[in-house]
Amino acid sequence: MFQPTIPLSELPIGTMKKYITGDKQILLVNVNGEVQAADNVCTHAYSELSEGRLEGCIVECAMHGAMFDVRDGSVQALPAVMPLKKYPAKIENEVIHIDIDV
């Protein structure tokens, strides 16, 4: 079930932001106007990806440099080997909605 998160205006193109819902940390990313949602915690070691660097669709973990493609969660650079969990995202009435029940 989709739930509202933040206004789209709070996530300009080329930016990312942490969103917390319940016990989950979600990474919201605006890649060329398309919103992506994934786990905010690196799969290699506990580190918040929202504290890292974003270049295009690739987020780099600040702790050890693991890289992920936020469009599909795939690992792009070691030391991570497990992909990020992705969540469906959509925009309704200029608000980002995500489905964390997948």
Side-chain angles (χ1 to χ4, degrees), residues 2 24-27 35-40 84-90 97-102:
F2 280 89
K24 291 186 186 270
Q25 285 192 43
I26 307 295
L27 179 68
V35 176
Q36 304 292 328
D39 279 338
N40 186 45
L84 289 176
K85 181 171 181 169
K86 289 279 297 159
Y87 302 95
K90 65 181 181 178
H97 291 70
I98 58 171
D99 183 357
I100 62 166
D101 297 323
V102 292

PDB file of all heavy atoms in Angstrom, residues 2 24-27 35-40 84-90 97-102:
ATOM      1  N   PHE A   2       0.620   2.137  -0.930  1.00  0.00           N
ATOM      2  CA  PHE A   2       1.406   3.361  -1.035  1.00  0.00           C
ATOM      3  C   PHE A   2       1.059   4.312   0.099  1.00  0.00           C
ATOM      4  O   PHE A   2      -0.100   4.433   0.493  1.00  0.00           O
ATOM      5  CB  PHE A   2       1.147   4.043  -2.383  1.00  0.00           C
ATOM      6  CG  PHE A   2       1.918   3.426  -3.517  1.00  0.00           C
ATOM      7  CD1 PHE A   2       1.387   2.371  -4.238  1.00  0.00           C
ATOM      8  CD2 PHE A   2       3.172   3.888  -3.852  1.00  0.00           C
ATOM      9  CE1 PHE A   2       2.083   1.790  -5.280  1.00  0.00           C
ATOM     10  CE2 PHE A   2       3.886   3.326  -4.896  1.00  0.00           C
ATOM     11  CZ  PHE A   2       3.343   2.267  -5.612  1.00  0.00           C
ATOM     12  N   LYS A  24      11.886   1.645   9.374  1.00  0.00           N
ATOM     13  CA  LYS A  24      12.631   1.635   8.107  1.00  0.00           C
ATOM     14  C   LYS A  24      13.185   3.014   7.766  1.00  0.00           C
ATOM     15  O   LYS A  24      12.518   4.019   7.932  1.00  0.00           O
ATOM     16  CB  LYS A  24      11.734   1.188   6.954  1.00  0.00           C
ATOM     17  CG  LYS A  24      11.333  -0.264   7.015  1.00  0.00           C
ATOM     18  CD  LYS A  24      10.565  -0.618   5.748  1.00  0.00           C
ATOM     19  CE  LYS A  24      10.017  -2.002   5.830  1.00  0.00           C
ATOM     20  NZ  LYS A  24      10.922  -3.000   5.330  1.00  0.00           N
ATOM     21  N   GLN A  25      14.430   3.003   7.286  1.00  0.00           N
ATOM     22  CA  GLN A  25      15.047   4.197   6.713  1.00  0.00           C
ATOM     23  C   GLN A  25      15.024   4.024   5.202  1.00  0.00           C
ATOM     24  O   GLN A  25      15.594   3.068   4.676  1.00  0.00           O
ATOM     25  CB  GLN A  25      16.496   4.333   7.161  1.00  0.00           C
ATOM     26  CG  GLN A  25      16.690   4.793   8.560  1.00  0.00           C
ATOM     27  CD  GLN A  25      18.148   5.161   8.782  1.00  0.00           C
ATOM     28  OE1 GLN A  25      18.770   5.810   7.931  1.00  0.00           O
ATOM     29  NE2 GLN A  25      18.685   4.755   9.908  1.00  0.00           N
ATOM     30  N   ILE A  26      14.395   4.950   4.533  1.00  0.00           N
ATOM     31  CA  ILE A  26      14.272   4.893   3.077  1.00  0.00           C
ATOM     32  C   ILE A  26      15.098   6.017   2.459  1.00  0.00           C
ATOM     33  O   ILE A  26      15.071   7.153   2.945  1.00  0.00           O
ATOM     34  CB  ILE A  26      12.795   5.044   2.643  1.00  0.00           C
ATOM     35  CG1 ILE A  26      11.900   4.036   3.363  1.00  0.00           C
ATOM     36  CG2 ILE A  26      12.663   4.943   1.133  1.00  0.00           C
ATOM     37  CD1 ILE A  26      12.162   2.589   3.050  1.00  0.00           C
ATOM     38  N   LEU A  27      15.821   5.692   1.408  1.00  0.00           N
ATOM     39  CA  LEU A  27      16.564   6.680   0.636  1.00  0.00           C
ATOM     40  C   LEU A  27      15.700   7.089  -0.544  1.00  0.00           C
ATOM     41  O   LEU A  27      15.335   6.249  -1.372  1.00  0.00           O
ATOM     42  CB  LEU A  27      17.883   6.090   0.139  1.00  0.00           C
ATOM     43  CG  LEU A  27      18.750   7.014  -0.710  1.00  0.00           C
ATOM     44  CD1 LEU A  27      19.300   8.160   0.141  1.00  0.00           C
ATOM     45  CD2 LEU A  27      19.886   6.230  -1.353  1.00  0.00           C
ATOM     46  N   VAL A  35      11.627   9.629  -9.419  1.00  0.00           N
ATOM     47  CA  VAL A  35      11.927   9.361  -8.013  1.00  0.00           C
ATOM     48  C   VAL A  35      12.170   7.870  -7.796  1.00  0.00           C
ATOM     49  O   VAL A  35      11.405   7.034  -8.267  1.00  0.00           O
ATOM     50  CB  VAL A  35      10.793   9.854  -7.102  1.00  0.00           C
ATOM     51  CG1 VAL A  35      11.059   9.473  -5.651  1.00  0.00           C
ATOM     52  CG2 VAL A  35      10.637  11.362  -7.233  1.00  0.00           C
ATOM     53  N   GLN A  36      13.258   7.575  -7.103  1.00  0.00           N
ATOM     54  CA  GLN A  36      13.623   6.212  -6.745  1.00  0.00           C
ATOM     55  C   GLN A  36      13.589   6.086  -5.223  1.00  0.00           C
ATOM     56  O   GLN A  36      13.891   7.046  -4.513  1.00  0.00           O
ATOM     57  CB  GLN A  36      15.034   5.878  -7.245  1.00  0.00           C
ATOM     58  CG  GLN A  36      15.235   6.070  -8.725  1.00  0.00           C
ATOM     59  CD  GLN A  36      14.447   5.073  -9.534  1.00  0.00           C
ATOM     60  OE1 GLN A  36      14.212   3.933  -9.122  1.00  0.00           O
ATOM     61  NE2 GLN A  36      14.001   5.489 -10.717  1.00  0.00           N
ATOM     62  N   ALA A  37      13.251   4.902  -4.715  1.00  0.00           N
ATOM     63  CA  ALA A  37      13.230   4.644  -3.281  1.00  0.00           C
ATOM     64  C   ALA A  37      13.907   3.309  -3.006  1.00  0.00           C
ATOM     65  O   ALA A  37      13.641   2.314  -3.689  1.00  0.00           O
ATOM     66  CB  ALA A  37      11.795   4.631  -2.765  1.00  0.00           C
ATOM     67  N   ALA A  38      14.807   3.306  -2.022  1.00  0.00           N
ATOM     68  CA  ALA A  38      15.547   2.096  -1.665  1.00  0.00           C
ATOM     69  C   ALA A  38      15.907   2.173  -0.184  1.00  0.00           C
ATOM     70  O   ALA A  38      15.758   3.223   0.450  1.00  0.00           O
ATOM     71  CB  ALA A  38      16.820   1.984  -2.502  1.00  0.00           C
ATOM     72  N   ASP A  39      16.407   1.053   0.355  1.00  0.00           N
ATOM     73  CA  ASP A  39      16.906   1.099   1.727  1.00  0.00           C
ATOM     74  C   ASP A  39      18.004   2.144   1.825  1.00  0.00           C
ATOM     75  O   ASP A  39      18.818   2.289   0.909  1.00  0.00           O
ATOM     76  CB  ASP A  39      17.456  -0.263   2.151  1.00  0.00           C
ATOM     77  CG  ASP A  39      16.377  -1.237   2.578  1.00  0.00           C
ATOM     78  OD1 ASP A  39      15.272  -0.785   2.952  1.00  0.00           O
ATOM     79  OD2 ASP A  39      16.642  -2.453   2.550  1.00  0.00           O
ATOM     80  N   ASN A  40      18.035   2.853   2.952  1.00  0.00           N
ATOM     81  CA  ASN A  40      19.039   3.898   3.156  1.00  0.00           C
ATOM     82  C   ASN A  40      20.317   3.356   3.786  1.00  0.00           C
ATOM     83  O   ASN A  40      21.306   4.065   3.876  1.00  0.00           O
ATOM     84  CB  ASN A  40      18.450   5.016   4.031  1.00  0.00           C
ATOM     85  CG  ASN A  40      19.380   6.194   4.154  1.00  0.00           C
ATOM     86  OD1 ASN A  40      19.959   6.647   3.171  1.00  0.00           O
ATOM     87  ND2 ASN A  40      19.552   6.696   5.357  1.00  0.00           N
ATOM     88  N   LEU A  84      20.722  -3.304  -2.921  1.00  0.00           N
ATOM     89  CA  LEU A  84      19.790  -2.583  -2.058  1.00  0.00           C
ATOM     90  C   LEU A  84      18.368  -3.068  -2.324  1.00  0.00           C
ATOM     91  O   LEU A  84      18.024  -3.351  -3.477  1.00  0.00           O
ATOM     92  CB  LEU A  84      19.821  -1.079  -2.364  1.00  0.00           C
ATOM     93  CG  LEU A  84      21.046  -0.298  -1.959  1.00  0.00           C
ATOM     94  CD1 LEU A  84      20.907   1.141  -2.439  1.00  0.00           C
ATOM     95  CD2 LEU A  84      21.261  -0.345  -0.465  1.00  0.00           C
ATOM     96  N   LYS A  85      17.572  -3.106  -1.286  1.00  0.00           N
ATOM     97  CA  LYS A  85      16.144  -3.380  -1.476  1.00  0.00           C
ATOM     98  C   LYS A  85      15.503  -2.128  -2.039  1.00  0.00           C
ATOM     99  O   LYS A  85      15.740  -1.023  -1.559  1.00  0.00           O
ATOM    100  CB  LYS A  85      15.476  -3.766  -0.168  1.00  0.00           C
ATOM    101  CG  LYS A  85      14.006  -4.083  -0.370  1.00  0.00           C
ATOM    102  CD  LYS A  85      13.360  -4.680   0.842  1.00  0.00           C
ATOM    103  CE  LYS A  85      11.914  -4.976   0.492  1.00  0.00           C
ATOM    104  NZ  LYS A  85      11.253  -5.774   1.472  1.00  0.00           N
ATOM    105  N   LYS A  86      14.694  -2.311  -3.083  1.00  0.00           N
ATOM    106  CA  LYS A  86      13.999  -1.208  -3.743  1.00  0.00           C
ATOM    107  C   LYS A  86      12.536  -1.204  -3.346  1.00  0.00           C
ATOM    108  O   LYS A  86      11.980  -2.237  -2.992  1.00  0.00           O
ATOM    109  CB  LYS A  86      14.101  -1.367  -5.259  1.00  0.00           C
ATOM    110  CG  LYS A  86      15.461  -1.112  -5.825  1.00  0.00           C
ATOM    111  CD  LYS A  86      15.711   0.368  -5.999  1.00  0.00           C
ATOM    112  CE  LYS A  86      14.721   0.915  -6.997  1.00  0.00           C
ATOM    113  NZ  LYS A  86      14.441   2.264  -7.001  1.00  0.00           N
ATOM    114  N   TYR A  87      11.927  -0.029  -3.410  1.00  0.00           N
ATOM    115  CA  TYR A  87      10.507   0.137  -3.115  1.00  0.00           C
ATOM    116  C   TYR A  87       9.853   0.906  -4.251  1.00  0.00           C
ATOM    117  O   TYR A  87      10.439   1.865  -4.768  1.00  0.00           O
ATOM    118  CB  TYR A  87      10.324   0.914  -1.801  1.00  0.00           C
ATOM    119  CG  TYR A  87      10.986   0.242  -0.629  1.00  0.00           C
ATOM    120  CD1 TYR A  87      12.264   0.611  -0.229  1.00  0.00           C
ATOM    121  CD2 TYR A  87      10.346  -0.781   0.063  1.00  0.00           C
ATOM    122  CE1 TYR A  87      12.887  -0.018   0.844  1.00  0.00           C
ATOM    123  CE2 TYR A  87      10.956  -1.410   1.134  1.00  0.00           C
ATOM    124  CZ  TYR A  87      12.224  -1.023   1.513  1.00  0.00           C
ATOM    125  OH  TYR A  87      12.843  -1.655   2.569  1.00  0.00           O
ATOM    126  N   PRO A  88       8.639   0.515  -4.625  1.00  0.00           N
ATOM    127  CA  PRO A  88       7.922   1.277  -5.652  1.00  0.00           C
ATOM    128  C   PRO A  88       7.677   2.714  -5.179  1.00  0.00           C
ATOM    129  O   PRO A  88       7.382   2.940  -4.001  1.00  0.00           O
ATOM    130  CB  PRO A  88       6.598   0.524  -5.794  1.00  0.00           C
ATOM    131  CG  PRO A  88       6.873  -0.849  -5.281  1.00  0.00           C
ATOM    132  CD  PRO A  88       7.888  -0.668  -4.193  1.00  0.00           C
ATOM    133  N   ALA A  89       7.825   3.654  -6.084  1.00  0.00           N
ATOM    134  CA  ALA A  89       7.592   5.075  -5.777  1.00  0.00           C
ATOM    135  C   ALA A  89       6.765   5.684  -6.896  1.00  0.00           C
ATOM    136  O   ALA A  89       6.899   5.306  -8.057  1.00  0.00           O
ATOM    137  CB  ALA A  89       8.917   5.815  -5.632  1.00  0.00           C
ATOM    138  N   LYS A  90       5.917   6.617  -6.521  1.00  0.00           N
ATOM    139  CA  LYS A  90       5.132   7.358  -7.507  1.00  0.00           C
ATOM    140  C   LYS A  90       4.851   8.745  -6.957  1.00  0.00           C
ATOM    141  O   LYS A  90       5.022   9.004  -5.766  1.00  0.00           O
ATOM    142  CB  LYS A  90       3.823   6.629  -7.843  1.00  0.00           C
ATOM    143  CG  LYS A  90       2.856   6.511  -6.680  1.00  0.00           C
ATOM    144  CD  LYS A  90       1.615   5.756  -7.090  1.00  0.00           C
ATOM    145  CE  LYS A  90       0.614   5.629  -5.949  1.00  0.00           C
ATOM    146  NZ  LYS A  90      -0.610   4.935  -6.345  1.00  0.00           N
ATOM    147  N   HIS A  97       5.015   9.212  -3.034  1.00  0.00           N
ATOM    148  CA  HIS A  97       4.408   8.090  -2.315  1.00  0.00           C
ATOM    149  C   HIS A  97       5.293   6.863  -2.533  1.00  0.00           C
ATOM    150  O   HIS A  97       5.799   6.650  -3.638  1.00  0.00           O
ATOM    151  CB  HIS A  97       3.005   7.785  -2.837  1.00  0.00           C
ATOM    152  CG  HIS A  97       2.007   8.827  -2.521  1.00  0.00           C
ATOM    153  ND1 HIS A  97       1.987  10.075  -3.098  1.00  0.00           N
ATOM    154  CD2 HIS A  97       0.965   8.816  -1.656  1.00  0.00           C
ATOM    155  CE1 HIS A  97       0.985  10.780  -2.621  1.00  0.00           C
ATOM    156  NE2 HIS A  97       0.346  10.027  -1.745  1.00  0.00           N
ATOM    157  N   ILE A  98       5.458   6.047  -1.477  1.00  0.00           N
ATOM    158  CA  ILE A  98       6.221   4.805  -1.595  1.00  0.00           C
ATOM    159  C   ILE A  98       5.414   3.651  -1.023  1.00  0.00           C
ATOM    160  O   ILE A  98       4.537   3.844  -0.184  1.00  0.00           O
ATOM    161  CB  ILE A  98       7.594   4.891  -0.884  1.00  0.00           C
ATOM    162  CG1 ILE A  98       7.416   5.240   0.600  1.00  0.00           C
ATOM    163  CG2 ILE A  98       8.502   5.889  -1.580  1.00  0.00           C
ATOM    164  CD1 ILE A  98       8.695   5.142   1.409  1.00  0.00           C
ATOM    165  N   ASP A  99       5.735   2.456  -1.501  1.00  0.00           N
ATOM    166  CA  ASP A  99       5.104   1.243  -0.999  1.00  0.00           C
ATOM    167  C   ASP A  99       6.185   0.424  -0.298  1.00  0.00           C
ATOM    168  O   ASP A  99       7.017  -0.183  -0.957  1.00  0.00           O
ATOM    169  CB  ASP A  99       4.484   0.454  -2.152  1.00  0.00           C
ATOM    170  CG  ASP A  99       3.752  -0.790  -1.687  1.00  0.00           C
ATOM    171  OD1 ASP A  99       3.754  -1.089  -0.470  1.00  0.00           O
ATOM    172  OD2 ASP A  99       3.193  -1.487  -2.547  1.00  0.00           O
ATOM    173  N   ILE A 100       6.179   0.424   1.022  1.00  0.00           N
ATOM    174  CA  ILE A 100       7.207  -0.306   1.772  1.00  0.00           C
ATOM    175  C   ILE A 100       6.791  -1.738   2.101  1.00  0.00           C
ATOM    176  O   ILE A 100       7.533  -2.471   2.737  1.00  0.00           O
ATOM    177  CB  ILE A 100       7.597   0.425   3.077  1.00  0.00           C
ATOM    178  CG1 ILE A 100       6.396   0.545   4.007  1.00  0.00           C
ATOM    179  CG2 ILE A 100       8.228   1.772   2.763  1.00  0.00           C
ATOM    180  CD1 ILE A 100       6.763   0.948   5.415  1.00  0.00           C
ATOM    181  N   ASP A 101       5.620  -2.125   1.662  1.00  0.00           N
ATOM    182  CA  ASP A 101       5.102  -3.464   1.980  1.00  0.00           C
ATOM    183  C   ASP A 101       5.434  -4.502   0.911  1.00  0.00           C
ATOM    184  O   ASP A 101       4.811  -5.564   0.883  1.00  0.00           O
ATOM    185  CB  ASP A 101       3.581  -3.405   2.186  1.00  0.00           C
ATOM    186  CG  ASP A 101       3.213  -2.541   3.371  1.00  0.00           C
ATOM    187  OD1 ASP A 101       3.936  -2.559   4.377  1.00  0.00           O
ATOM    188  OD2 ASP A 101       2.196  -1.828   3.276  1.00  0.00           O
ATOM    189  N   VAL A 102       6.403  -4.214   0.066  1.00  0.00           N
ATOM    190  CA  VAL A 102       6.750  -5.171  -0.994  1.00  0.00           C
ATOM    191  C   VAL A 102       7.794  -6.163  -0.515  1.00  0.00           C
ATOM    192  O   VAL A 102       8.503  -5.940   0.397  1.00  0.00           O
ATOM    193  CB  VAL A 102       7.246  -4.461  -2.269  1.00  0.00           C
ATOM    194  CG1 VAL A 102       6.125  -3.709  -2.916  1.00  0.00           C
ATOM    195  CG2 VAL A 102       8.433  -3.589  -1.990  1.00  0.00           C
TER     196      VAL A 102
END
